[in-house]
Amino acid sequence: MTTVHTETSTERVPGRSWTVRIIGHGRTTASVTCSTTACRMPPRSENLATLRTFAARHAAAHAKAATLRPNARCHCGAQSCEAHLDTKTHCAGTVLLILRHDPLIRRVWTVEEVCEACAPLIPNATVLARAERPRRTPDRTTAQVAAPARAVVAGGFSSPAAPGAEDAVPVRRARRSSRRS
């Protein structure tokens, strides 16, 4: 899924993150919290399966409502890449919207704007959307220079002579000796 952002600003903005978490209260009850204070959460409950379902749907709702911004900085990079400490990288590439959820712990869902370089390094991350790269505006004109018309053959070999190459001086190559010792 590709999400288009309508602002034309090229100024970098901080990457966003939403975290939905299940918190246990003693042995019998739990509740759901969200990093967005405006979100309404259900009351404490003894039914952990219902709370997990609600938390997963709530994280999905944040992801669906988010408009991915191509000028966002990597949220992972802003956190000193704590999500992938074992592997260092430089933040680069298109902005992605990811969902992090560890199926073993099953208590935390995080939706984040991160870069293409960090996303594959984050464990248990699923890419939900990719921002479109900003398009060039028509007022910018670039001079286009035609490439020389010479075919290239894989493996570093040159192609047959291009038109007008009849005047070129042939290059002598060293012969390999066919003598056997």
Side-chain angles (χ1 to χ4, degrees):
M1 173 171 86
T2 303
T3 307
V4 179
H5 186 66
T6 57
E7 287 183 17
T8 58
S9 174
T10 58
E11 184 179 324
R12 302 290 282 178
V13 295
R16 297 172 294 177
S17 174
W18 300 269
T19 302
V20 180
R21 187 180 313 266
I22 296 177
I23 299 175
H25 302 284
R27 291 184 160 191
T28 59
T29 63
S31 62
V32 178
T33 63
C34 181
S35 60
T36 304
T37 56
C39 294
R40 294 182 59 193
M41 298 292 115
R44 283 187 186 188
S45 175
E46 293 178 0
N47 190 343
L48 193 57
T50 301
L51 291 179
R52 278 194 186 109
T53 302
F54 175 82
R57 287 183 180 164
H58 188 75
H62 274 295
K64 187 175 181 180
T67 301
L68 198 53
R69 305 166 305 166
N71 61 334
R73 286 190 211 108
C74 179
H75 183 265
C76 178
Q79 303 299 315
S80 302
C81 295
E82 290 177 0
H84 57 90
L85 287 175
D86 297 339
T87 308
K88 295 293 180 190
T89 187
H90 295 287
C91 293
T94 305
V95 178
L96 305 175
L97 188 67
I98 64 164
L99 170 66
R100 286 186 351 188
H101 174 67
D102 189 344
L104 296 176
I105 297 173
R106 302 181 343 162
R107 290 186 174 207
V108 180
W109 292 258
T110 306
V111 177
E112 295 176 302
E113 289 177 320
V114 299
C115 69
E116 273 182 319
C118 289
L121 303 175
I122 299 172
N124 304 308
T126 304
V127 175
L128 302 175
R130 175 181 305 271
E132 282 188 6
R133 293 187 186 261
R135 294 189 179 132
R136 287 188 175 181
T137 56
D139 60 330
R140 289 185 188 175
T141 56
T142 57
Q144 294 183 356
V145 179
R150 178 181 162 127
V152 177
V153 179
F157 297 102
S158 61
S159 67
E166 296 85 27
D167 302 332
V169 177
V171 177
R172 294 190 71 177
R173 296 187 178 148
R175 288 186 163 184
R176 296 178 91 181
S177 174
S178 60
R179 291 185 294 185
R180 294 186 184 176
S181 336

